Amino acid sequence: MTFKHKGLQALFGGTFDPIHYGHLRPVEALAKQVGLQKVILLPNHVPPHRPQPEASPAQRLEMVRLAIQDQPLFTIDTRELERNSPSYTIETLTALRKEMGPEQPLAFIIGQDSLLSINTWHGWEQLLDNCHLLVCSRPGYAANFSEPQMQAWLNKHKTDDTNKLSQTPNGYIFLGDTPLVDISATEIRNNLNNGNVNENLIPAAVMAYIKQQHLYQN
Ligand code: ATP
């Protein structure tokens, strides 16, 4: 009997402190290119030794929920946020791979900045054993690795063929042709801390929540 899978499943992890259009717009374009029916947003539990988000886990989750309330493409997986301890991406992907079985096509979405520093991630060499990587362009980040061995790794796994993503469970890297959206959460927080509000960078419902909760105001 041939295996019937659910189509390519894609996760998009992030701190989302706060979620903004630099997260949403490129991923929407990527979903069209690759033919994703759903993108599962995976808010991170941030480890204590890393700079802490300004918003609480509950507030970050609520902002993600508000950002996608009218967007059927997106859904949320709260497993990392609900854990008492931080989980490495590789651990979450391994758990999902177990749940979904070995044949289900699975992808993890990252921005170009994350791709360029992927060799700093715990267990990064095992990522492609569990999923494909789908990469969104991000302004200000180089197209290539400066380390030749990392560029060789990218070249080895890169594909332009979206069929391969949906027909194989894992192992490919797809560089999306996505819009360059020059927005960062750090910049949004800094601006809000300084009293500068640019309403166009985040969904209106998220901005209303930020104001109501007095978030990012020193
Ligand atoms: P900061 O600006 O503080 O670094 P961030 O928005 O990059 O925050 P996260 O919320 O953790 O941080 O990002 C989640 C994912 O979204 C990462 O893979 C990151 O590469 C990607 N990402 C964030 N902003 C953009 C953007 N403007 N364009 C493309 N990808 C982005």
Side-chain angles (χ1 to χ4, degrees):
M1 205 177 81
T2 49
F3 171 72
K4 274 219 173 107
H5 61 66
K6 292 195 284 179
L8 178 60
Q9 299 287 297
L11 289 143
F12 181 40
T15 311
F16 304 128
D17 184 30
I19 190 163
H20 53 69
Y21 285 130
H23 297 124
L24 298 168
R25 299 280 190 248
V27 172
E28 284 161 19
L30 182 77
K32 276 203 187 120
Q33 256 174 54
V34 174
L36 298 172
Q37 303 302 313
K38 279 274 173 229
V39 171
I40 305 163
L41 298 172
L42 184 73
N44 301 148
H45 183 128
V46 178
H49 61 272
R50 296 240 300 271
Q52 287 303 293
E54 286 190 32
S56 70
Q59 287 171 323
R60 290 188 291 120
L61 177 59
E62 182 60 10
M63 289 189 282
V64 172
R65 204 188 60 72
L66 289 167
I68 64 165
Q69 59 188 347
D70 303 320
Q71 300 242 41
L73 172 65
F74 293 102
T75 154
I76 311 177
D77 186 321
T78 56
R79 72 179 68 212
E80 288 196 354
L81 266 193
E82 277 163 7
R83 283 179 50 146
N84 289 329
S85 58
S87 30
Y88 291 112
T89 300
I90 188 63
E91 290 170 357
T92 305
L93 286 167
T94 313
L96 277 159
R97 172 54 70 206
K98 255 199 183 143
E99 280 170 32
M100 293 179 174
E103 294 183 61
Q104 170 63 48
L106 176 64
F108 194 74
I109 301 172
I110 53 176
Q112 180 68 14
D113 56 309
S114 300
L115 177 69
L116 293 176
S117 60
I118 200 136
N119 52 342
T120 64
W121 292 21
H122 173 75
W124 73 273
E125 286 113 325
Q126 278 81 55
L127 286 171
L128 291 176
D129 297 338
N130 290 284
C131 65
H132 304 298
L133 288 174
L134 312 180
V135 184
C136 294
S137 322
R138 187 167 186 180
Y141 292 90
N144 295 308
F145 283 95
S146 53
E147 309 98 316
Q149 72 278 19
M150 288 309 296
Q151 189 60 35
W153 171 81
L154 171 59
N155 293 342
K156 180 174 163 201
H157 296 284
K158 202 166 66 166
T159 185
D160 292 331
D161 183 354
T162 54
N163 290 323
K164 286 190 177 156
L165 303 172
S166 52
Q167 288 167 7
T168 53
N170 58 283
Y172 287 105
I173 302 174
F174 179 81
L175 304 180
D177 182 13
T178 55
L180 292 171
V181 184
D182 194 6
I183 304 179
S184 89
T186 306
E187 195 185 328
I188 290 175
R189 291 194 304 274
N190 289 342
N191 285 345
L192 288 167
N193 281 329
N194 295 326
N196 299 325
V197 181
N198 182 344
E199 308 261 348
N200 301 321
L201 308 182
I202 42 186
V206 178
M207 185 53 96
Y209 181 79
I210 288 173
K211 287 184 185 160
Q212 185 228 334
Q213 298 282 308
H214 307 291
L215 272 169
Y216 314 119
Q217 289 170 28
N218 282 331

